[in-house]
Amino acid sequence: MTLTLDNRSRNKESSLTQALRQIQQLNSKIAVLEQQHQDYVRSQQNLISAIAEIYVSPIQEIQALRILICRGEAACRQYLRSVLVKQGQASKTTTGQIEKPTLDKRAKNRGFLQNSKK
């Protein structure tokens, strides 16, 4: 009788230690997930502030936010890069920074082409 009681108490003890171990594992997983979530929220906040700084029109801002929500961070960053490239190209054309070939450059190019034909 005492032997079966001892076995039952050992079984209960082992099941309690297993449950405790599982609880500890779950707590550590929860801590990792909470950290990942905080990192994700921080990156989203940084991205949203970047959207506010980069956009040219409210439509672009809305488009960037839609992309962020629907397709995720990577697609949004790609869209923002394309907006920045377009802005850079537009600012070059409006400020006249794109060099137009001068007569000297045209003559050099013509000379280069003529020499390459020989």
Side-chain angles (χ1 to χ4, degrees):
M1 185 76 143
T2 58
L3 189 58
T4 57
L5 287 175
D6 287 342
N7 282 342
R8 285 183 189 164
S9 64
R10 284 187 191 143
N11 287 340
K12 284 182 184 179
E13 219 174 279
S14 67
S15 64
L16 286 175
T17 53
Q18 284 177 352
L20 182 61
R21 190 176 319 111
Q22 288 175 346
I23 289 170
Q24 290 171 339
Q25 289 172 347
L26 287 174
N27 283 337
S28 66
K29 286 181 182 179
I30 289 170
V32 167
L33 288 173
E34 284 175 345
Q35 183 62 46
Q36 289 175 346
H37 176 70
Q38 288 174 359
D39 294 342
Y40 175 77
V41 167
R42 250 184 254 112
S43 72
Q44 296 299 315
Q45 288 172 340
N46 293 339
L47 196 52
I48 289 171
S49 63
I51 290 169
E53 290 175 18
I54 291 171
Y55 84 95
V56 173
S57 69
I59 293 173
Q60 285 179 328
E61 184 177 16
I62 291 168
Q63 181 65 22
L65 291 172
R66 281 183 183 157
I67 291 170
L68 177 62
I69 292 166
C70 297
R71 291 192 272 159
E73 184 179 345
C76 183
R77 288 185 186 280
Q78 184 178 6
Y79 174 74
L80 291 176
R81 275 189 227 102
S82 71
V83 168
L84 285 173
V85 167
K86 288 176 187 174
Q87 281 180 356
Q89 290 171 349
S91 69
K92 284 182 183 178
T93 58
T94 58
T95 59
Q97 292 177 354
I98 295 179
E99 287 187 8
K100 294 182 180 175
T102 61
L103 290 176
D104 293 337
K105 288 184 181 180
R106 287 183 190 153
K108 286 180 185 177
N109 289 339
R110 213 175 292 122
F112 175 76
L113 290 173
Q114 288 172 352
N115 290 336
S116 65
K117 291 179 184 176
K118 291 180 182 178

